[in-house]
Amino acid sequence: MPDLDALIAPRLAELAATGLRRQLRVHDPALIDVASNDYLGLSRHPALIERACQWTERHGAGSRASRLVTGTSAELLALEEKLARFKGTEAALIFASGYQLNSSVLPALLELGQGKHEPLVFTDRLNHASLHAGLRGLKQIRFRHNDLAHLEELLLGHPGDFRWIVTESVFSMDGDRADVSALSGLAERHGAHLYLDEAHATGVLGQHGEGLASLARGKVPVVMGTLGKALGGAGAYVAGSRALIDWLVNRCGGFLYSTAPAPAAFGALDAALDLVPGMEAERARLGRMGDALRAALRERGLDTLASTTQIVPALLGDEARALAAAETLRAAGILVVAIRPPTVPPGTARLRFSLSAALTDAQFERVLAAVRAL
Ligand SMILES: Cc1ncc(COP(=O)(O)O)c(C=O)c1O
């Protein structure tokens, strides 16, 4: 038998030598957490835990099969309708994860060209790995990050009958926002379809936490977001027209051929949807915390890029510097991760702070003090 480990060992050594080897580390709950994406602190909210337990008691620990077999209950359909109302769309569909969703919904949509129309897909350079996974094998036409003039230039230079713009509303590693109304206008003018990833905007931005697609209501045909970040549970959703959802139920492999998420995740979502629209105070506080953290980092001479949200990067450039800064903060009791290539472009290693309404004022003060002492 060929020795697989013998192939793996030198590759791991290569990663280690360039500061890029990743290792699982047991989470230390004693640290102040500015690394996770629990932006509203809902993952520990008693209402979510209670509702997750209720759904588990009623429906079991697992869903037993795919949605088309035994994985759909009347309660789940009602929950998807509730989610669609929150997003202001006709319909919504829940998946087990955002990665699974992006990597399988995009191929199902591109299939709509039926081989007659070659899909032309315009993508932001900083799009998330799961969006790339959905476009594997396709030559993406990449526009400079959030540069809509560049996107327009590319649209003009690449005419076609079946064109898509695929981007995020809040970028996961930079914490900046796309101009969603300008994007939707651009898509409309050029006859392109818009696919928007709201993983980091859902729950946090928009008038009631419904995300930034609400700035162009009815003009973003495909919106996805995750349920495991601000919404505190697990899974992901895609929202849009009834026809879109019916198509995905028929043609999206990641939906068709996968066991439905555990009922506990649906219960947590049910409770989160009751709470999130009313969490104005938490959203406002997150905004203020973001401003204060950016100010503290800039005082230390650190570049926070174009961040305007609860995600605050501190650019360090070099992998070793980013790792050292994360270790220094860890020693001060703060959990923040060093983000390195390939998650971010080479030469842009950084600390990525993600703020949560679950932080107490005292904890946040400690984060600011540790940053000032960096
Ligand atoms: C922009 C973006 N899209 C999609 C995902 C994938 O979502 P999930 O974690 O539910 O797989 C993530 C992050 O994890 C993300 O940051």
Side-chain angles (χ1 to χ4, degrees), residues 87 169 196-202 210-213 223-226 237:
K87 289 297 292 182
S169 59
L196 192 65
D197 180 327
E198 297 244 61
H200 298 276
T202 307
E210 68 276 46
L212 292 178
V223 186
M224 70 76 64
T226 53
Y237 68 86

Side-chain angles (χ1 to χ4, degrees), residues 27 84 94 124 150 167 207 232 240 242 257 280 290 300 306 317 337 353:
H27 171 57
I94 298 173
D124 189 288
H150 188 216
T167 190
Q207 208 180 352
R242 184 74 255 165
Y257 306 120
E280 291 309 334
R300 298 300 305 145
V337 276
F353 293 86

Side-chain angles (χ1 to χ4, degrees), residues 95-102 224 226 234-236 261:
F95 283 65
S97 83
Y99 193 98
Q100 181 176 336
L101 190 156
N102 279 334
M224 70 76 64
T226 53

Side-chain angles (χ1 to χ4, degrees), residues 37 39 95-102 126-131 167-173 197-201 224-229 233-237 311 352:
N37 304 312
Y39 304 127
F95 283 65
S97 83
Y99 193 98
Q100 181 176 336
L101 190 156
N102 279 334
L126 295 190
N127 272 356
H128 188 257
S130 55
L131 294 167
T167 190
E168 298 175 27
S169 59
V170 169
F171 282 81
S172 56
M173 296 300 142
D197 180 327
E198 297 244 61
H200 298 276
M224 70 76 64
T226 53
L227 307 174
K229 297 183 169 61
Y237 68 86
I311 299 170
R352 173 187 184 267

